Amino acid sequence: MNKPTDQAGTMLLATNGTELAVRVDGSGPPLMLLHGWPHTGRIWARVRPPGRRIIVPDLRGLGDSAEADDGFDAATAADDLFGVLDHLGAGPVELAAIDASVPTAVLMALRQPERISRLVVMEGTLPGLPGGFPAPPWWFGFHAVPDLPETLIAGRENEYLGWFLRSIDDPRLRTSLIDAYRGRARLAAGFGFYRAMGRTAELLQAALADTRLRVPTVALGGDVVGQRLYHQLEPITETLSGELLERCGHIVPLDRPDALNRLLA
């Protein structure tokens, strides 16, 4: 069942045992935009290439989607999103993903390449594959510890999440993103993607044992991940291009929406 939410232009779609908030704008060839952590679909608000049907979900357990306490591995997330596309009757879709959603987008393209017309991934890495960070950033291990981070951070979301979002100039957007993760349940859902990284690494390795990434793929880098994702994708992808964006931090849709609107038009 499709239900309206209190956000204009947003539907709450039942999919794969949960409900995802999905914003749909425009008409034309479909383009699905996937956010990372600690983000929601609102980071894509300025990415509106003309002549496209824009599909922007909040991931499982996050933002305006229903609360969830499991299912944060890439395979479950992929099934969530394929269910959204089924609900919307979207044919082959161009898929763009950033940060924590990059492994899910890559797994979607590996498992059902006929449903993805092009893959655009940015500022994320693929767990279990060579070429990423020599050592994960400190918060990867912290977030993966069961129960501890939400215990320490609940009630201090402004300080902790605000540190990760400090580059955002718009105070209203920064506040809305922090509010989307406020409280133990939402914090735990966000950390769930880190706690599932081991399982996600196994899923990617298993998929790549049988196939290569055949979907045309673009890897974009800002000043945090840089070219690491491109180097991870290079040995496993048939058609790959990459670009290191100038004047761009980690949250590419906020820092360089102009570049994304040109690329995705």
Side-chain angles (χ1 to χ4, degrees):
M1 178 181 296
N2 301 352
K3 297 182 286 187
T5 72
D6 58 358
Q7 298 289 331
T10 303
M11 298 176 288
L12 198 60
L13 299 182
T15 175
N16 195 33
T18 190
E19 292 180 320
L20 299 190
V22 184
R23 299 162 186 83
V24 182
D25 297 314
S27 61
L31 168 64
M32 177 177 270
L33 306 172
L34 306 181
H35 67 83
W37 182 94
H39 314 151
T40 70
R42 290 180 178 86
I43 67 165
W44 296 101
R46 295 170 61 194
V47 179
R48 289 295 183 270
R52 304 300 302 268
R53 184 186 188 195
I54 310 296
I55 302 167
V56 187
D58 286 345
L59 300 180
R60 173 181 284 248
L62 303 180
D64 294 319
S65 293
E67 289 188 0
D69 55 13
D70 59 11
F72 302 109
D73 61 274
T76 305
D79 288 341
D80 291 349
L81 297 166
F82 280 131
V84 167
L85 296 176
D86 290 341
H87 270 291
L88 297 175
V93 62
E94 187 167 9
L95 185 62
I98 187 170
D99 190 69
S101 63
V102 166
T104 295
V106 170
L107 191 66
M108 291 173 72
L110 285 168
R111 287 189 163 184
Q112 298 192 45
E114 72 282 358
R115 301 188 67 174
I116 311 298
S117 60
R118 185 170 66 156
L119 182 64
V120 180
V121 285
M122 61 200 82
E123 281 294 292
T125 56
L126 299 169
L129 299 187
F133 288 99
W138 62 265
W139 58 88
F140 279 48
F142 176 52
H143 293 172
V145 178
D147 299 321
L148 179 63
E150 52 265 53
T151 299
L152 297 176
I153 295 165
R156 301 176 181 85
E157 293 89 348
N158 290 346
E159 294 79 7
Y160 187 74
L161 299 177
W163 184 83
F164 291 93
L165 301 171
R166 63 194 182 279
S167 67
I168 297 178
D169 294 331
D170 182 346
R172 291 179 297 179
L173 174 59
R174 189 167 57 248
T175 297
S176 75
L177 296 178
I178 293 171
D179 287 345
Y181 287 80
R182 200 174 297 280
R184 284 186 64 95
R186 294 297 186 181
L187 285 169
F191 301 143
F193 288 91
Y194 292 88
R195 292 165 185 164
M197 276 190 179
R199 175 58 180 155
T200 291
E202 294 174 353
L203 291 162
L204 289 170
Q205 291 165 348
L208 288 165
D210 298 324
T211 188
R212 286 167 55 82
L213 186 56
R214 302 196 304 273
V215 171
T217 300
V218 181
L220 303 176
D223 68 2
V224 175
V225 176
Q227 296 179 313
R228 292 178 179 89
L229 180 57
Y230 179 88
H231 292 316
Q232 286 190 300
L233 289 167
E234 193 172 20
I236 64 170
T237 307
E238 291 186 355
T239 305
L240 176 66
S241 61
E243 183 177 357
L244 190 61
L245 296 171
E246 297 180 352
R247 307 182 314 280
C248 186
H250 178 57
I251 311 178
V252 181
L254 299 181
D255 292 342
R256 292 299 309 275
D258 59 324
L260 293 178
N261 281 319
R262 286 195 301 269
L263 176 66
L264 298 170

